[in-house]
Amino acid sequence: MNRRTFAATALVAAAALLAGCGSSDDGPAEQPTGGQGDWAPVEIEHAFGSTTIEAEPTRVVTLGWGSTEAALALGVVPVGIETQTYAVDDAGRLPWVSEKLAEMDAETTMVPATVEEPAYEDIDALEPDLILAPYSGITADQYDLLSEIAPTVAYPEAAWTTPWRDVIDIVGRSLGMAEEATALVEDLDGQLAAAEDAHPELQGLTVAAVWDVGGTFYVYKPADARVDFLLDLGLESAPAVTELDTGGETFVYGLSYEQTDRLEADILVNYASTDEEAQTFLEQSYAQAIPAVQDGAVANVTGDPLVAAMSPPTALSLTWGLQDYVDLLSAAAQNAS
């Protein structure tokens, strides 16, 4: 199941090093990425086995979600970035990615978005020596094909579920920048801790994260990285989220409209592309049956960029939308019963 189906339509700055893979009008230029001197082979274990990176990567392609931001936050500009399809600019880049590239005065090649299969020919044309996909939906067969192009790092367990900290860690180790990645995570954790300390009203409240779109009422499970991020802020996943799940999906499920009254949580986080979409949802009888809606304890996360920034957060988007997100949660908490 593709994460973007559920994150987008159903979907930090740390002290960055300036060394990276730059580019020119003739295409991305080959430059050392990590600048770590002598390279020792790195082995990364993942869902499809393990990948050994024998030499320092100089031409990196990033696929899926979050690996682009992790690389950029570490000062590495990929030669190829997979185009996103939600909350993006005309170039297919998310706003925080475009802002970071502008800050670094760097350019890159956009790889067509994965539909059924990754864009193998476009990726191969970039002559990468490393493909990063630690938060993606690539299958075992796709991994094998990508690995014929270059060493490929997949997700550690299940598709579209890797926590943002692990994405940064995996990208950092793959680039020979493990220490820098640890420092980046510590910096972001510090900003999260500060936000949590500033909002004690969130501590211990239960939360359910949902999106009503396309005739299906989606409920995100604790395994989903966006829910994990809510827990980082001191909230707790509502027991009902797990209890109402009768399917086998890893990170999200569709809840029958007849059962929404059983979705008990102190706070409901409702994702929507527009304010009008959020209001339309709240006016439905099945929404009115949800206890948190009755209490007015709803955090409507609206606007595609903010939804994308938190769904789930990345090394660059976490701080990009953090304050707005926490403010919405805090307002909802004031009405929690």
Side-chain angles (χ1 to χ4, degrees):
M1 178 174 296
N2 190 306
R3 173 209 176 270
R4 281 170 294 197
T5 302
F6 295 106
T9 61
L11 281 91
V12 195
L17 303 176
L18 294 180
C21 293
S23 66
S24 68
D25 292 339
D26 296 326
E30 183 172 333
Q31 300 177 18
T33 55
Q36 302 301 297
D38 294 336
W39 178 271
V42 175
E43 184 174 357
I44 307 293
E45 295 184 356
H46 50 74
F48 305 128
S50 64
T51 297
T52 300
I53 304 168
E54 299 284 359
E56 183 176 15
T58 62
R59 298 183 64 81
V60 179
V61 168
T62 51
L63 303 179
W65 192 266
S67 57
T68 296
E69 289 92 328
L72 290 173
L74 292 169
V76 174
V77 181
V79 295
I81 294 173
E82 182 176 9
T83 299
Q84 299 297 326
T85 59
Y86 177 72
V88 296
D89 58 21
D90 292 340
R93 292 191 292 256
L94 293 157
W96 42 89
V97 170
S98 291
E99 290 170 12
K100 188 62 176 178
L101 287 170
E103 175 188 321
M104 300 173 76
D105 192 23
E107 297 179 1
T108 188
T109 296
M110 300 305 296
V111 175
T114 298
V115 180
E116 296 297 331
E117 299 282 340
Y120 301 113
E121 293 184 1
D122 297 83
I123 294 170
D124 187 42
L126 293 172
E127 300 181 352
D129 50 23
L130 177 64
I131 299 171
L132 293 171
Y135 190 104
S136 69
I138 62 172
T139 65
D141 289 342
Q142 292 169 353
Y143 165 79
D144 289 340
L145 290 172
L146 290 168
S147 296
E148 292 180 8
I149 299 173
T152 300
V153 176
Y155 39 85
E157 295 181 3
W160 304 118
T161 61
T162 311
W164 63 266
R165 293 178 182 83
D166 291 349
V167 173
I168 295 173
D169 172 69
I170 293 168
V171 170
R173 287 189 288 120
S174 300
L175 297 174
M177 304 179 73
E179 293 183 1
E180 291 87 344
T182 297
L184 174 58
V185 170
E186 290 176 349
D187 178 80
L188 294 174
D189 274 336
Q191 297 186 56
L192 278 175
E196 182 179 358
D197 290 344
H199 293 279
E201 69 276 7
L202 299 180
Q203 306 313 301
L205 294 182
T206 59
V207 63
V210 305
W211 194 332
D212 184 45
V213 63
T216 302
F217 184 65
Y218 293 107
V219 180
Y220 296 96
K221 299 169 63 173
D224 187 76
R226 87 203 67 206
V227 176
D228 188 56
F229 179 57
L230 289 167
L231 308 188
D232 284 336
L233 295 169
L235 296 163
E236 298 178 2
S237 180
V241 169
T242 302
E243 294 167 358
L244 292 171
D245 177 25
T246 59
E249 298 297 346
T250 303
F251 58 91
V252 67
Y253 62 91
L255 181 66
S256 167
Y257 287 138
E258 287 74 27
Q259 292 185 298
T260 56
D261 62 320
R262 298 175 57 192
L263 188 60
E264 296 185 7
D266 295 322
I267 293 176
L268 188 76
V269 176
N270 173 44
Y271 301 104
S273 292
T274 65
D275 292 335
E276 291 76 14
E277 180 183 315
Q279 187 59 38
T280 297
F281 161 70
L282 293 175
E283 291 172 353
Q284 303 307 308
S285 58
Y286 55 82
Q288 292 291 320
I290 300 172
V293 174
Q294 295 173 8
D295 294 338
V298 180
N300 288 308
V301 182
T302 60
D304 292 344
L306 183 58
V307 172
M310 303 292 107
S311 304
T314 68
L316 296 180
S317 73
L318 189 151
T319 52
W320 188 90
L322 180 60
Q323 190 58 58
D324 289 341
Y325 198 50
V326 172
D327 287 346
L328 290 169
L329 294 171
S330 179
Q334 306 303 321
N335 295 324
S337 59

